[in-house]
């Protein structure tokens, strides 16, 4: 029904007693996420009910170390709300304690820390989402992160994005049209991230309950091109894509640490071209994500039973015509 | 964060990276005194601005006597230096670096930065010194040697040797270059730099290896660990509106268009700029107000956007997830009254309590153009700039 997280996920919140950690833990519990533990060094052994502002509906046991939380509660996934200066340590602690999936919400972690963290978790076979991301949600089952739960709808479209609020925008457009989501992953806006477009695309491609994918990239780096290459070769599910920053000037960091065109590389134009070449339905306006996906899904449904054709080189803005000649079925 | 060449060289010196003898000068007299102190008979007078291509723009000159140092310094100080990186408006030169002249035998390139494709730092070296490295990368990529650095052990001796052999170095120059590379990597790592670029790296006729130029950028996220480097920030090299915005904790970048925008979240902000262009306008700025879109931040945002005389309309686009739209709307109304905005404002608030927010805006008595969806917002922007 989803990728990476579902109702069986057992979540530990690192930095649970901080104000951010408390606020979002309350929201996650109310969404139905299986929060089993919290970690704040020095506050272990207590039951945490939230603070005056944000009261939990049920108490969460707090531990001094992630290892103890894993041992006592069988937590398998961690979310990190620890401040930037200590976040690298927190990620490595989770990875060293048997956690298999770490979701790092924290923004502003120094790159030099992340270079080390990345090597550290790779060696231990741990997957990370983020940092500097909204998190991951499988609608109706499990919300890990800071996204507003109510805009989501359970369904069969997978969504991958480098951004926060732009992701919510896309989700809203889908939900408004009655198109539900299997899982939405905010992979984060930093130059070093644990899960890249390619990784997430592979997972969605394998997931039997995901029919189509939305990919929202932005300027900087070449992760979108990398994923597009894979999609061209190996993905039959339709993909709708957008790249933010078509009007961004070169050499300037556009908010996200990773959103910068440097040495003429990482422009929206070249990413969009790579995506178009891979048969992705690229929209020029972010306002068209929802309706394009709706059209793509409808045309798929209409041609169900017929031989599915790869969506190559079809412009999403062009009115959809029935293919004048059906592709040879390769029985 | 960017710093000047002379500041970069001061830092490199601390990490035993050889640099020419030099001194900063803010006046012509200081320039002459600096030359006297450095000694010798040939000096280089270099304009200090945060942009490359200074030599071609006339910002780097040779002087063969103290009198010439005075003349060259007088020419360059205060000049409007235009390079391919400054844009047509150029930059006023306010600082000079006076350096000893060198007997250059060879010019090469070395740069260290993050390689995003494998999440490791990479040391790049090339025999093509003094040329823009992007150009080399595009035209003759085989001329760039690369060594990926294991973050646990750092740059190793054998990697430095490999690079220096690859550059065709021998004898003293080889030994000195290996030491140079190792020291430069140490400096890069210890200062939390995001870029350490030496172009050109020079080999002198005596076999010395020195950084003739130095471009050091710092990772903004790590500046808190280095308060002494944070102090090197030169506000005169930045756009005054951007300086003002950063004082209000707003993430603002000035652009050349006619439609201002105010958005929460960097990705949505870029997407909103794109929408403005598709609607027939051009974005006048990037502005991410972040998670706390309230009356104070919105007011500060308005003031900064409206100081740009080319702004003909403003688009506010907020997706309220955790932030409640009704609160944002109240903030916008308050701010618009305080700032006395005279140009059309298109507002699109979506997410939590968006309906309440629309009511607040519509009943405010102010002439907001309220949009429900992104598409509608784009259409309203089009009509606002046409009017």
């Amino acid at each position: 029904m989803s990728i990476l997280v579902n109702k069986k996920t057992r979540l530990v919140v690192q930095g649970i007693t901080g104000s951010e950690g408390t606020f979002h833990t309350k929201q996650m519990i109310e969404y139905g996420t299986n929060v089993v533990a919290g970690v704040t060094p020095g506050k272990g052994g207590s039951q945490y009910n939230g603070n005056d502002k944000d009261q939990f509906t049920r108490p969460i046991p707090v531990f001094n170390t992630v290892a103890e939380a894993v041992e006592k509660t069988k937590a398998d996934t961690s979310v990190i709300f620890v401040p930037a200066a200590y976040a690298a340590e927190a990620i490595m602690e989770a990875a060293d304690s048997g956690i298999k999936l770490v979701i790092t919400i924290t923004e502003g972690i120094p790159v030099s820390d992340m270079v080390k963290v990345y090597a550290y978790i790779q060696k231990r076979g741990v997957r990370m989402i983020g940092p500097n991301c909204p998190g991951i949600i499988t609608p109706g089952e499990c919300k890990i992160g800071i996204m507003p739960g109510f805009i989501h709808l359970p369904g069969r479209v997978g969504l991958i994005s480098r951004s926060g609020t732009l992701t919510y925008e896309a989700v809203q457009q889908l939900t408004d049209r009655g198109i539900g989501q299997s899982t939405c992953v905010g992979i984060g806006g930093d130059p070093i991230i644990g899960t890249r477009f390619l990784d997430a695309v592979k997972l969605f491609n394998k997931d039997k309950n995901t029919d189509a994918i939305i990919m929202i990239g932005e300027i900087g780096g070449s992760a979108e091109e990398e994923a597009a290459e894979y999609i061209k070769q190996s993905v039959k599910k339709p993909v709708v894509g957008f790249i933010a920053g078509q009007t961004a000037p070169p050499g300037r960091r556009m908010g996200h640490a990773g959103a910068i065109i440097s040495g003429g590389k990482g422009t929206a134009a070249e990413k969009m071209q790579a995506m178009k070449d891979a048969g992705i339905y690229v929209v020029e306006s972010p306002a068209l994500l929802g309706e394009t996906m709706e059209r793509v899904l409808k045309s798929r449904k209409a041609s169900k039973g017929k031989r599915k054709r790869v969506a190559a080189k079809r412009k999403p803005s062009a009115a959809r015509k029935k293919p004048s000649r059906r592709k040879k079925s390769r029985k | 964060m960017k710093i000047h060449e002379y500041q970069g060289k001061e830092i490199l010196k601390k990490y035993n990276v050889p640099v020419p003898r030099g001194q900063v000068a803010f006046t012509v007299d200081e320039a002459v005194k600096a030359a006297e102190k450095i000694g010798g008979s040939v000096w280089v007078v270099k304009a200090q601005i945060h942009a490359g291509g200074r030599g071609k723009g006339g910002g780097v000159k040779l002087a063969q006597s103290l009198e010439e140092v005075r003349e060259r310094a007088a020419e360059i100080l205060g000049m409007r230096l235009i390079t391919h990186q400054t844009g047509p408006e150029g930059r006023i030169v306010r600082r000079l670096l006076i350096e000893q002249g060198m007997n250059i035998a060879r010019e090469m390139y070395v740069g260290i930065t993050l390689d995003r494709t494998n999440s490791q730092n990479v040391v790049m070296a090339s025999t093509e010194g003094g040329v823009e490295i992007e150009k080399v990368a595009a035209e003759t990529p085989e001329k760039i040697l690369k060594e990926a650095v294991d973050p646990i052990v750092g740059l190793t001796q054998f990697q430095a040797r490999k690079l220096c052999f690859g550059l065709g170095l021998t004898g003293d120059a080889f030994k000195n270059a290996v030491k140079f590379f190792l020291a430069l990597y140490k400096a890069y790592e210890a200062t939390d730099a995001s870029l350490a670029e030496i172009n050109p790296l020079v080999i002198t006729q005596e076999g010395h290896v020195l950084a003739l130029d130095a471009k050091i950028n710092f990772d903004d996220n790590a500046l808190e660990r280095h308060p002494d480097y944070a102090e090197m920030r030169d506000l005169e090299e930045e756009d005054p509106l951007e300086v003002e915005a950063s004082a209000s904790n707003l993430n603002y970048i000035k652009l050349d268009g006619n439609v201002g925008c105010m958005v929460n979240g960097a990705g949505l902000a870029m997407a909103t700029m794109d929408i403005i262009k598709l609607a027939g306008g051009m974005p006048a700025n990037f502005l991410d107000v972040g998670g706390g879109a309230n009356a104070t931040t919105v007011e500060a945002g308005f003031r900064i956007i409206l100081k740009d005389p080319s702004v003909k309309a403003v688009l506010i686009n907020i997706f309220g997830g955790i932030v409640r739209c009704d609160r944002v709307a109240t903030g916008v109304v308050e701010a618009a009254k305080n700032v006395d905005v005279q140009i059309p404002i298109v507002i699109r608030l979506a997410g939590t309590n968006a309906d309440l927010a629309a009511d607040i805006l519509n009943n405010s008595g102010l002439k907001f153009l309220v949009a429900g969806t992104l598409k509608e917002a784009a259409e309203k922007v089009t009509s606002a700039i046409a009017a």
Side-chain angles (χ1 to χ4, degrees), chain B residues 84-98:
Chain B
H84 67 284
Q85 286 184 4
T86 59
E89 70 280 7
R91 296 267 173 81
I92 303 286
V93 181
R94 296 183 168 92
R95 306 176 189 199
L96 296 174
L97 171 62
I98 312 300

Side-chain angles (χ1 to χ4, degrees), chain B residues 369-380:
Chain B
L369 301 162
V370 183
T373 63
L374 262 190
K375 215 172 171 179
E376 219 181 298
E379 285 157 9
K380 296 214 156 139

Side-chain angles (χ1 to χ4, degrees), chain B residues 158-170:
Chain B
F158 76 82
Q159 287 181 303
R161 285 198 300 268
K162 228 160 116 184
L163 289 169
C164 294
F165 282 126
L167 292 171
L169 298 173
T170 52

